[in-house]
Amino acid sequence: MAEPPADAHISLDIDLTAHESRRRAEVMAALGDTWDPVAALRGEEEAYDLLYSGLDAEQQRTYEMLVAAGVLPARGNGRAAD
């Protein structure tokens, strides 16, 4: 088999639209009819509140440094536990 010239361009376009649609449909089917996205987000917020509660002074400073750097989103009124 002859090799293509070095300056030849080969198109590798692949349309994944059908695959992505099927994947999304499968995800929604797996979540079921009882999945409540608002409750899921609320639970996530509660988990973050618990994660960042009870920080000692050094941990709080580290948290505030990460918020200032944009690594973590600000929560409450600037205190991690709020």
Side-chain angles (χ1 to χ4, degrees):
M1 177 175 223
E3 291 188 29
D7 63 346
H9 296 282
I10 300 172
S11 176
L12 297 175
D13 294 337
I14 300 172
D15 184 3
L16 297 175
T17 305
H19 174 72
E20 180 62 14
S21 295
R22 185 180 70 74
R23 185 194 68 80
R24 288 181 184 192
E26 293 294 332
V27 167
M28 294 308 293
L31 290 171
D33 295 337
T34 60
W35 179 60
D36 181 357
V38 174
L41 289 173
R42 190 177 307 116
E44 186 174 319
E45 287 298 316
E46 291 170 0
Y48 278 119
D49 290 343
L50 184 59
L51 177 65
Y52 296 118
S53 66
L55 301 180
D56 63 27
E58 182 180 349
Q59 292 168 328
Q60 184 66 40
R61 280 192 303 277
T62 302
Y63 170 81
E64 291 167 0
M65 178 188 66
L66 293 172
V67 169
V71 175
L72 292 174
R75 303 185 62 76
N77 64 1
R79 301 277 309 162
D82 292 337

